[in-house]
């Protein structure tokens, strides 16, 4: 397993599918939840915040599915995330017409500025994390072990043999820690063969996306 994690950093073609999966899951779950609430009037704010809300929804959903012993597969989350969006799209295909919503209003200009801050932030974090070929410090290696286990075994419950080990057992961040971070990375790792790339890229992406989410938080 360590040999697998320490392979030189490359961007396999399957990693692009992991990026698509990330946005399908987060946006779809966020949309499905906010669909029953009063959504923001601005088209771009609605969809960007769906991603942020979806991250939180994934944590709850993944923990619940794991609790009732349903195998954690990436396609299961993709299906659950896209059920309502596909249903609504079938009823009204015009919701995909972005041109109807794009106008150079003050609100949209501010969102563009925030996106222009997001882009170099993502580049900075991504470039810095891949400047070093391996994972850094103990925590990342501990998370990597838990992520690999969930990705293969499709559960966040530890085997009794792991729990019986001294100290924190074999998986430090599964029990009693909430395992939602490792479960998210494990779902992405099921499509992306490089665990190191998965951890580094999606950490950079989530941290950079927080700039967008915090802007809307501060705006409110």
């Amino acid at each position: 397993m360590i040999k697998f994690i320490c392979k030189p950093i490359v961007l396999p073609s399957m990693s692009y599918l992991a990026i698509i999966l990330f946005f399908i899951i987060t946006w779809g779950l966020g949309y499905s939840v906010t669909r029953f609430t009063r959504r923001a009037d601005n088209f771009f704010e609605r969809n960007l915040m769906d991603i942020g809300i979806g991250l939180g929804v994934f944590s709850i959903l993944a923990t619940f599915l794991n609790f009732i012993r349903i195998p954690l597969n990436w396609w299961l989350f993709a299906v659950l995330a896209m059920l309502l969006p596909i249903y609504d799209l079938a009823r009204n295909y015009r919701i995909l017409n972005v041109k109807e919503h794009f106008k150079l209003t003050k609100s949209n200009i501010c969102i563009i500025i925030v996106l222009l801050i997001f882009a170099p932030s993502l580049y900075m974090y991504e470039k810095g994390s891949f400047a070093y070929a391996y994972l850094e410090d103990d925590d990342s290696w501990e998370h990597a072990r838990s992520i690999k286990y969930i990705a293969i075994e499709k559960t966040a419950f530890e085997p009794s043999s792991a729990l019986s080990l001294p100290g924190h057992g074999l998986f430090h961040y599964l029990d009693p820690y909430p395992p939602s971070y490792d479960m998210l990375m494990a779902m992405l790792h099921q499509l992306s063969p490089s665990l190191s790339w998965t951890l580094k890229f999606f950490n950079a992406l989530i941290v950079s996306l927080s700039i967008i989410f915090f802007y809307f938080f501060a705006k409110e």
Side-chain angles (χ1 to χ4, degrees), residues 105-191:
T105 61
K106 179 181 178 182
S107 178
N108 284 342
I109 291 174
C110 289
I111 293 174
I112 292 173
I113 294 173
V114 173
L115 292 174
L116 291 176
I117 297 174
F118 157 79
S121 173
L122 175 60
Y123 175 80
M124 175 187 67
Y125 284 117
E126 192 270 346
K127 192 74 173 178
S129 63
F130 287 106
Y132 179 71
Y134 307 106
L135 297 176
E136 192 92 18
D137 299 327
D138 293 341
D139 282 349
S140 59
W141 290 96
E142 293 283 356
H143 279 294
R145 185 159 50 202
S146 300
I147 292 165
K148 175 65 73 174
Y149 171 75
I150 297 173
I152 295 174
E153 300 297 332
K154 300 177 176 57
T155 179
F157 285 113
E158 302 179 53
S160 56
S161 58
L163 291 171
S164 63
L165 294 175
H168 295 285
L170 182 61
F171 303 106
H172 183 85
Y173 287 114
L174 289 187
D175 185 20
Y177 287 87
S180 54
Y181 170 80
D182 290 344
M183 287 191 285
L184 174 61
M185 292 296 170
M187 296 307 98
L188 300 169
H189 180 42
Q190 286 178 356
L191 281 184

